[in-house]
Amino acid sequence: MEATFISNNSSPNTTFHVLSDNTTVSSLISTVTTNCSTFLSKSSSTSPFPFNASAPNAPQPEQAIQYYRASSTVLTLDGYNNSATFSSNESMLDTPLPPNIDMKLLECLNQTIGLSVPLVDGAFPALFAAPSIPGLILLGMVISWISSFV
């Protein structure tokens, strides 16, 4: 699914697209509208629509400026062309973003999307892993033993 977020700043005119699954895009439209409303045009998406790769203005891979949640969500920018996208040269640097885009909207979108689409069931460091049953029993015994001295 797709949503379009258009800057309300006519100079520079900036259009972003978010592509992801239906639930994510639906949720993002609501969150982005709430958090970034001061930067958004009224022409921005109010509901998700199906991504159509053959549409004349469909976002293209070389227009991607940010990936989120293990690349399951992408933010694209109309008019951006990252020539490194299709290069076989792994040391080729990404094309810089154009200087004439609405950076305030981009910053708001990036922050909002980044906080709104975290990894689900992502791996946690061992420190945060749930303890095993024997570990809980041992912890209970240690707490009980310490309490006996207090």
Side-chain angles (χ1 to χ4, degrees):
M1 296 302 280
E2 180 181 347
T4 302
F5 298 108
I6 303 168
S7 169
N8 65 4
N9 186 347
S10 59
S11 178
N13 186 3
T14 308
T15 301
F16 297 96
H17 302 268
V18 172
L19 290 89
S20 192
D21 61 272
N22 187 43
T23 303
T24 300
V25 174
S26 293
S27 175
L28 282 175
I29 289 171
S30 174
T31 306
V32 165
T33 300
T34 299
N35 292 350
C36 305
S37 62
T38 58
F39 309 114
L40 289 173
S41 162
K42 300 214 183 305
S43 301
S44 295
S45 294
T46 57
S47 60
F49 55 93
F51 172 69
N52 179 357
S54 60
N57 294 326
Q60 300 299 309
E62 63 272 17
Q63 293 178 317
I65 59 172
Q66 184 67 44
Y67 291 93
Y68 310 87
R69 194 173 60 199
S71 299
S72 66
T73 302
V74 63
L75 179 66
T76 68
L77 171 62
D78 280 4
Y80 177 64
N81 186 353
N82 185 2
S83 53
T85 300
F86 298 115
S87 174
S88 59
N89 180 355
E90 293 183 19
S91 64
M92 185 174 188
L93 299 175
D94 288 333
T95 303
L97 292 175
N100 61 338
I101 63 172
D102 187 341
M103 289 303 293
K104 290 182 181 185
L105 176 57
L106 174 57
E107 290 171 15
C108 187
L109 288 170
N110 196 34
Q111 289 292 320
T112 301
I113 296 167
L115 292 171
S116 299
V117 292
L119 281 172
V120 176
D121 295 331
F124 289 103
L127 175 65
F128 297 109
S132 63
I133 297 299
L136 287 173
I137 293 170
L138 179 60
L139 179 63
M141 290 171 49
V142 168
I143 291 171
S144 198
W145 179 74
I146 291 173
S147 297
S148 66
F149 291 104
V150 177

